[in-house]
């Protein structure tokens, strides 16, 4: 459970650590990493471009309730049986990264004091983009930055259908994800330049009326033009916070957890590589537990 840029940065960092011989087997580009690392969360974006659109399946909720491992496993099986398509291989790498990042950073996102977890995710996105690339998300067009990242190809659709029909019992799921992805693209294009705050006003109004009972507030997905960098969103000062999931106190920063996830991610990625290319699933079944 992280926002789009955070998922992308972590996946890129983790994939960079893979041996070159495995990198060459995947179609690894920034656009592909952005697209595939956010696959598990695309359901969140299904209704962002329309105030009245309703999510018919809510697949993002089903996925985050314990289906990630099963979907990654099905993706590996499908890719082994269908010729190791390079896009499918990159898809698997990015999904593994998302799985590990969620596991390590979710406690911080839902527990660290903030207005809401969704807003904190956006603020973390903003901070990471500034730290890693010196860019301000409220002043760029993300669709242009990741040109080509908002379109699934036919091999993607086949992989998505294999994962979803087997684990979520939904057929023609690729149509759902195609629509959700286009909703996200249109939302980013619409809100990327909102200097007078007119567009965000309508989203704020929507959240207080039509969307008032939904925990996912559309306004929190808009990157503000002016961002307050003085606030310690990442807890770099290592202030005390209570981990609601583990029911214990912590002083770790988001960066601490991000780096821990990178270290652990090497083991998870190696387990996935062993299963994908060598057919050895022992470590995969041991590490991927939910």
């Amino acid at each position: 459970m992280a926002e789009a840029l955070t998922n992308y940065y972590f996946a890129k960092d983790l994939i960079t650590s893979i041996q070159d011989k495995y990198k060459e087997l995947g179609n690894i580009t920034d656009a592909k990493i952005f697209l595939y690392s956010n696959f598990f969360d695309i359901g969140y974006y299904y209704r962002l471009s329309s105030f009245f659109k309703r999510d018919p399946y809510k697949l993002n909720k089903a996925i985050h309730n314990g289906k990630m491992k099963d979907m990654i496993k099905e993706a590996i099986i499908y890719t082994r049986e269908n010729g190791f398509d390079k896009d499918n291989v990159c898809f698997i790498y990015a999904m593994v990264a998302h799985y590990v990042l969620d596991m390590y950073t979710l406690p911080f996102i839902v527990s660290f004091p903030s207005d809401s977890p969704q807003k904190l995710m956006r603020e973390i996105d903003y901070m990471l983009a500034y730290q890693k690339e010196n860019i301000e998300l409220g002043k760029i067009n993300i669709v242009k930055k990741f040109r080509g990242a908002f379109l699934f190809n036919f091999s993607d659709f086949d992989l998505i259908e294999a994962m979803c029909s087997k684990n979520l019992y939904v057929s023609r799921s690729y149509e759902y994800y195609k629509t959700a992805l286009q909703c996200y693209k249109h939302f980013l294009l619409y809100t990327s330049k909102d200097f007078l705050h007119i567009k965000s006003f309508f989203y704020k109004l929507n959240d207080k009326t039509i969307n008032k009972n939904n925990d996912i507030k559309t306004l929190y997905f808009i990157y503000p033009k002016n961002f307050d960098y003085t606030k310690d969103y990442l807890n770099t000062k290592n202030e005390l916070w209570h981990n609601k999931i583990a029911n214990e106190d912590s002083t770790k920063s988001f960066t601490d957890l991000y780096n821990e996830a990178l270290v652990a991610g090497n083991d998870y990625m190696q387990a996935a590589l062993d299963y994908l290319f060598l057919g050895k699933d022992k470590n995969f079944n041991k590490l991927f537990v939910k």
Side-chain angles (χ1 to χ4, degrees), residues 126-127 130 135-137 227-233:
Y126 219 108
M127 293 296 292
Y130 190 74
I135 59 175
E136 297 184 63
L137 292 179
F227 187 77
D228 186 0
Y229 290 98
T230 64
K231 293 185 178 180
D232 193 12
Y233 302 110

Side-chain angles (χ1 to χ4, degrees), residues 18-19 22 28 35 64 119 123 146 153 185 193 198 214 217 223 227 266 275 290:
I18 296 175
Q19 291 177 293
Y22 291 123
I28 298 172
L35 171 61
H64 287 83
K119 190 173 182 181
E123 290 158 344
F146 294 104
N153 60 36
K185 176 183 178 180
K193 294 182 180 180
I198 296 174
N214 193 339
K217 299 300 182 183
Y223 296 113
F227 187 77
N266 288 318
Y275 189 10
K290 63 178 181 178

Side-chain angles (χ1 to χ4, degrees), residues 154-167:
F154 288 114
S155 66
D156 295 334
F157 287 146
D158 290 340
L159 182 63
I160 291 170
E161 182 67 5
M163 289 190 292
C164 292
S165 61
K166 182 75 174 289
N167 295 288

Side-chain angles (χ1 to χ4, degrees), residues 207 209-215 217:
D207 285 338
T209 55
I210 299 171
N211 194 37
K212 63 182 179 180
N213 294 321
N214 193 339
D215 291 336
K217 299 300 182 183

Side-chain angles (χ1 to χ4, degrees), residues 89-107:
V89 170
C90 184
F91 209 144
I92 291 168
Y93 292 170
M95 287 192 292
V96 170
H98 186 123
Y99 177 93
V100 176
L101 182 66
D102 266 15
M103 185 166 47
Y104 276 81
T105 62
L106 179 61

